Amino acid sequence: MLAFYANFARVTGTPEEVIIDFGLNSESFGMPSAPIPVTDRIVVNLFTAKRLLVALQQTVEHHEAAFGTVETD
């Protein structure tokens, strides 16, 4: 299995699929001054996307219950 770190994700899709692109933003704060290179893509059907949504939601809820709210911009 390949593993990589991403701090950027872009979600797009079609009527049949969800496309999630991942990349690494080297500028941690503010707007990036250059385009973020996308290095990996996952394409899933809508059923898998919905199951992923539920799994991610549960994971974040468990984390926040243990460590506090995760703040986003």
Side-chain angles (χ1 to χ4, degrees), residues 12-19 46:
T12 57
T14 70
E16 296 85 20
E17 299 168 327
V18 174
I19 302 161
L46 274 294

Side-chain angles (χ1 to χ4, degrees), residues 19-65:
I19 302 161
I20 310 168
D21 293 329
F22 295 96
L24 185 60
N25 179 6
S26 59
E27 299 175 39
S28 300
F29 300 101
M31 294 296 293
S33 58
I36 299 169
V38 172
T39 56
D40 296 279
R41 172 175 283 175
I42 297 174
V43 180
V44 297
N45 62 40
L46 274 294
F47 298 103
T48 302
K50 192 163 187 177
R51 290 190 299 266
L52 176 61
L53 172 67
V54 171
L56 290 171
Q57 184 65 43
Q58 289 175 348
T59 300
V60 171
E61 287 172 0
H62 286 122
H63 177 87
E64 289 183 329

